[in-house]
Structure formats: structure tokens, C-alpha cells
Amino acid sequence: MVKKKSKVSQRKKVTPPTPHRSGVTPPKLDPKQIPNHVALVMDGNGRWAKQKGLPRTAGHEAGEATLLDIVHGAIEIGVKELSAYAFSTENWKRSPDEVRFLMEFNRQVLRKRRDEMNAMGVKIRWVGREKRLWTGVLKDLKEAQELTKNNKVLTLNMCVNYGGRAEMLDAAVAIAKDALRKKVKPDSLSEKSLKKYLYSPQMSDVDLFLRSSGEQRTSNFLMWQSAYAEMVFLDVLWPDADRRTLWKAIEIYAERERRFGKA
């Protein structure tokens, strides 16, 4: 008689995050003070490269290590969802060489890091517009998504070819088409039903919106999801940031009172 494997033995073994090279550990906060979802505007790559006399592309390459370290730090402190602004719908306005580099770079990062992310229990989810996105990049995003779909430690939303206004426009077009097909009644729409038309309906609301480089704007990122997010703008260029930057932002977040419109 063949014995059934226990649920414990069937459970995937997860690799813990690598400690920071300095040995620093996360600040001790009440779990209720930890944001569930952190949005990242990874700004300052170009300025970092310029300061060092390097091409802009070198800044993007350096920024990859920052994102990876922040993923490790997010797991350590207990964040459950990260959204990284990897390529916006406005980034198509950049030089053809930089656009080409960013497209290829996103592919390389996915190929190089997806197994490591998978081992740590990270679920990779693509969020963005399919139109104009390179076929190869879309293929790699979907493969990473499929590989990691059952992971539960942390969700990493890779926002590639994403724009908040584009998302709302695409949702409005989809709703209009469904209204014409009599699949939805416009008068019965609610925030809950509209959310189903967004790129990633399962995405939770953003609690902490973190932008590096000292710029104080949201740049069309997760406009719907960030309606009640706490904004933290830190004066550090993205390649110089690491998990300690995330933890500092979380400490600032923990000191704030969130009322959601209540007195």
C-alpha cells in the first residue's frame, strides 16, 4: 500500500532572504505598522550615471541590484506586495537606444532573477498594457508569471509599459464595450465592479508610495490603487538605495495616522 505524502512534505521549501552585507536587521515595529503594499518609483538612475561620468544605461544596470536588495528587505520586514515602476507608457518618448536597452534589460533581469525569486517564494506578476510591448519581453513576463504563480511569500508587480491614465482609459473602453453588449449596466457600476476592469484586479491598494531621488510627484503610477497611500519621498538616487531605504520609509509610514476620510 502506497502511503500518501503529508501536506508538510508536499509544501515547497522556501529559501530565506539573504541578510544585508552590513549585518543590519529590520527595525522592530508592530506588525500592524508594516504596510501590506509598497509602490516603488525607482527614480534617479540617469542622474546617478551622469554624476559618475557613465552612460545612462549604467544607472539602470546599477538599479537592478537595488530592486533585488529591496525585495529581500521587504520579505525580512513583512511586506507582502511590491510594485516596481519598471517602464512607463511615457518612457517610449526616450531615445530609441535607451528604449531598446530598457526592453532588453527587462528581459535579462527576468531571465537572470526569476529562479532566485521563485526560490524565495516571490510571485512575479506583470502589470501593464500589451500594446507596443515587445513580444519577447511579454513572453518572458508571462513565463515568469507562470513559473511563480503559486508562491505566497511576496508578490512583485513588475509594471512594464504601465501608465495610470492608460489603465483608466483601457478600463473605460472595456466597460463601454461590455455596455454595448448588454453585459454591464452603466447605472449599476460601483468602485468594486470597475476595479475588475483594471490591469490587475487582484492587486491590493497601495499603503506606502515610495519615490527615490528627491522628486515629489507620482508620475502617473498606480493612480487608482494609491488613492489613500502614504507618500514618502527620499532624497537618494535609486542605485544608491537598498533595503535600508525601504525600512526608513516604513518607519516614517509607521509614525503616521491613517484616517481614510474619517475625523
Side-chain angles (χ1 to χ4, degrees):
M1 181 178 178
V2 179
K3 292 183 178 180
K4 292 183 179 179
K5 291 182 180 179
S6 68
K7 289 184 179 179
V8 174
S9 65
Q10 292 176 334
R11 202 173 293 154
K12 175 182 173 180
K13 185 177 180 181
V14 174
T15 303
T18 304
H20 191 268
R21 60 187 180 280
S22 69
V24 69
T25 56
K28 300 202 180 294
L29 297 170
D30 187 317
K32 293 179 182 178
Q33 295 176 302
I34 306 297
N36 178 70
H37 184 183
V38 179
L40 301 169
V41 177
M42 306 178 289
D43 194 23
N45 292 334
R47 274 167 283 174
W48 180 90
K50 185 177 180 181
Q51 286 177 5
K52 297 181 180 298
L54 299 170
R56 286 178 60 85
T57 53
H60 297 305
E61 289 173 340
E64 179 208 342
T66 296
L67 178 58
L68 183 66
D69 194 73
I70 282 182
V71 167
H72 284 263
I75 294 172
E76 282 186 298
I77 201 168
V79 171
K80 293 299 181 184
E81 190 167 2
L82 279 178
S83 290
Y85 209 3
F87 188 91
S88 77
T89 49
E90 287 75 33
N91 286 158
W92 294 106
K93 299 174 186 176
R94 296 188 178 184
S95 72
D97 285 344
E98 187 171 0
V99 168
R100 191 178 304 110
F101 173 84
L102 288 170
M103 286 290 107
E104 288 295 344
F105 183 64
N106 274 302
R107 294 191 70 185
Q108 292 170 19
V109 170
L110 285 165
R111 289 172 177 174
K112 185 166 67 172
R113 299 298 187 187
R114 67 185 179 189
D115 289 337
E116 181 180 352
M117 298 278 193
N118 186 40
M120 290 195 298
V122 176
K123 178 190 293 183
I124 298 171
R125 189 161 56 198
W126 167 57
V127 181
R129 188 183 245 180
E130 190 165 329
K131 184 181 178 182
R132 290 189 75 179
L133 189 57
W134 286 17
T135 304
V137 177
L138 184 59
K139 177 176 176 288
D140 287 335
L141 283 164
K142 289 185 175 180
E143 285 181 357
Q145 201 166 247
E146 179 64 24
L147 175 69
T148 63
K149 65 181 181 181
N150 295 319
N151 293 340
K152 301 184 185 303
V153 175
L154 173 76
T155 296
L156 174 62
N157 298 310
M158 290 294 293
C159 299
V160 182
N161 198 26
Y162 175 86
R165 288 181 174 180
E167 180 174 33
M168 291 183 183
L169 174 61
D170 291 347
V173 170
I175 289 169
K177 287 179 178 178
D178 277 354
L180 288 172
R181 299 185 191 111
K182 309 295 185 184
K183 292 175 69 175
V184 63
K185 294 180 180 179
D187 291 341
S188 68
L189 276 173
S190 64
E191 290 184 12
K192 185 177 179 180
S193 58
L194 189 149
K195 187 178 179 181
K196 294 177 182 177
Y197 289 89
L198 300 180
Y199 293 147
S200 181
Q202 65 271 54
M203 181 188 287
S204 62
D205 286 345
V206 174
D207 298 300
L208 168 60
F209 189 107
L210 170 60
R211 182 179 186 132
S212 61
S213 87
E215 302 290 349
Q216 299 187 17
R217 55 180 178 269
T218 61
S219 293
N220 196 25
F221 189 43
L222 298 179
M223 296 164 65
W224 175 277
Q225 299 85 347
S226 298
Y228 274 99
E230 293 295 325
M231 303 293 175
V232 175
F233 305 106
L234 296 179
D235 193 12
V236 55
L237 300 177
W238 182 252
D240 289 328
D242 62 14
R243 71 187 75 184
R244 293 171 295 185
T245 309
L246 171 68
W247 296 343
K248 179 181 178 181
I250 290 175
E251 286 184 297
I252 295 170
Y253 168 88
E255 293 173 355
R256 296 183 182 174
E257 182 184 358
R258 306 183 75 200
R259 294 191 295 274
F260 300 97
K262 298 177 183 177

